[in-house]
Amino acid sequence: MADDIPWERLFEDATRVRERAHVPYSRFPVGAAILYADGSVVAGCNVENATYGLTVCAERNAFAAGVAQGRSRPVAVAIVANTDVPCPPCGMCRQVMAEFAGNALSVRSRTPKGDEARYTLGELLPHAFTKDFF
C-alpha cells in the first residue's frame, strides 16, 4: 500500500488546513491529513486555548474528525509544521494513532520548504499501550 499513497495530495491538504490553525499563543501552526483505506482523506489543524492544557494538536483533531465521519483503517498520516526540520508527532498524538492503527501506519512530516522525514508508527511508538492489553 505504501507505493499507492498519494503523499503529495496529503501534504497539500495538510498545508491548506495548517493555514486555519488557531495558534495565537505559540504561533506554531500545524496541519495533518489522514488517508483511510477507503481512499478518503480527513484533515485537521491544531487549536490552542488560553489554558494550554486544552490545546489539541492537528493530528488528534484529524483523527477525531475521522471518527466523527465514521472513518476507519487509517493507512497514512502527513504532517506539515512550521519548522526548519521535519517535526514528528508528539507523544499524545502517537498514542492516539496507536488507538486506530497498527505499527505499519506510514507517517511523514514535512517542513514548508519541503524537507521530509518518514516513519512508521512502530518506529515512533515501539511499545504502544493498546487494547491488546485488556
Side-chain angles (χ1 to χ4, degrees):
M1 178 75 178
D3 293 332
D4 299 339
I5 295 172
W7 286 108
E8 291 309 313
R9 175 183 172 207
L10 293 177
F11 280 117
E12 288 171 9
D13 288 353
T15 297
R16 193 170 20 262
V17 75
R18 183 176 74 94
E19 299 301 320
R20 295 188 204 121
H22 178 75
V23 291
Y25 309 105
S26 72
R27 295 188 177 31
F28 186 72
V30 179
I34 304 167
L35 173 68
Y36 288 89
D38 66 0
S40 62
V41 175
V42 177
C45 59
N46 53 327
V47 177
E48 295 179 348
N49 191 281
T51 56
Y52 285 101
L54 295 178
T55 295
V56 183
C57 299
E59 300 91 330
R60 286 183 284 144
N61 273 331
F63 272 94
V67 169
Q69 293 178 20
R71 305 290 179 220
S72 63
R73 296 185 21 224
V75 295
V77 179
I79 304 160
V80 176
N82 195 24
T83 55
D84 291 332
V85 296
C87 182
C90 77
M92 286 194 292
C93 289
R94 295 173 194 199
Q95 183 60 46
V96 168
M97 290 178 191
E99 180 69 20
F100 298 102
N103 287 337
L105 178 70
S106 293
V107 181
R108 292 189 184 182
S109 180
R110 213 181 251 183
T111 68
K113 293 179 183 176
D115 295 327
E116 187 176 304
R118 301 172 181 197
Y119 320 93
T120 64
L121 181 56
E123 292 169 336
L124 290 168
L125 191 63
H127 302 285
F129 182 78
T130 66
K131 60 188 171 208
D132 295 337
F133 290 101
F134 293 93

